[in-house]
Amino acid sequence: MDPKRYAVLLCAEDTEYVKKKYGGYFGLFVGMLSEAGERWEVYRVACGEFPADDVLESYDGFVITGSCNDAHGNDLWICKLIILLKKLDSMQKKILGICFGHQVLGRALGGTTGRAISGWDIGVTTIHFTPPKMFSSPNIPTSISVIECHQDEIRELPPRAVVMAWSQKTGIEMFKCGDHIMGIQGHPEYNKDILLHLIGRLSERKLIVESFAEEVKANLVGKEPDLEVWRILCTNFLKGRDDSYAYDYKTLPISEKEK
């Protein structure tokens, strides 16, 4: 039997820090989602590198990463990505969109994106699953924490999609379309070290003011994202498994708000 094959559609350029410490953003996703015997490949779509049409069928799933670009922009590579996502949707391929990937996936399916009304969301955010929860396992918590770093959002949901989760700042934290598409506004692949690195870069580039950067860093003290819960949820979705596969969520450490 041929090994399962997955592709990461990389929408951002690696920073030297993330490349050296984590093997780049591709390395982060492989570390979170890969399992023994699988093949993982990367296409740097932000640099114009796309999979050819004749290899799409050979992939079992695709992951769309975050980006410094706007999902509502019309850069050539973003327009090409939207065309690709529509094609993958028609093929019923598993697609997991993260941050920018979540937003551009929403746009490709017929939703709208733009600047978040509430402004930047940076930090460890608690998101709440919408009732009824769209998971088969009754043990999945009603709210979990995730690292956020975005100033855009999905403003209008695609016609076929349903909201899976929300937060105090963002109405569409997660959405699902059928059984093959899921978008997550936060960054389940990030840890606090990466977030602090990005806060520094945003501050250096004057994208956020220094006082806000210091406030965000202060608010991170004592907070942790629920990385293991996210790993399980994302992996099980991408592999088409039951949500309770191999784990009892009740035994996992959940954020302080959930305790």
Side-chain angles (χ1 to χ4, degrees), residues 83-170:
I83 293 171
L84 172 61
L85 295 177
K86 289 180 178 179
K87 190 174 298 181
L88 295 176
D89 174 34
S90 69
M91 297 170 70
Q92 296 282 296
K93 287 294 183 180
K94 285 277 186 179
I95 313 173
L96 175 64
I98 304 297
C99 198
F100 168 90
H102 158 88
Q103 297 160 12
V104 78
L105 191 50
R107 177 183 173 186
L109 297 173
T112 60
T113 67
R115 286 284 186 262
I117 296 172
S118 58
W120 279 98
D121 187 3
I122 307 176
V124 178
T125 297
T126 299
I127 72 162
H128 309 274
F129 293 114
T130 56
K133 288 191 297 180
M134 297 173 195
F135 302 107
S136 56
S137 172
N139 296 333
I140 295 177
T142 57
S143 61
I144 57 178
S145 292
V146 68
I147 286 176
E148 305 261 12
C149 188
H150 66 99
Q151 63 173 336
D152 295 342
E153 65 182 355
I154 293 180
R155 290 182 174 176
E156 185 178 346
L157 202 66
R160 292 181 289 128
V162 290
V163 177
M164 296 177 68
W166 58 276
S167 70
Q168 290 183 350
K169 295 195 74 170
T170 305

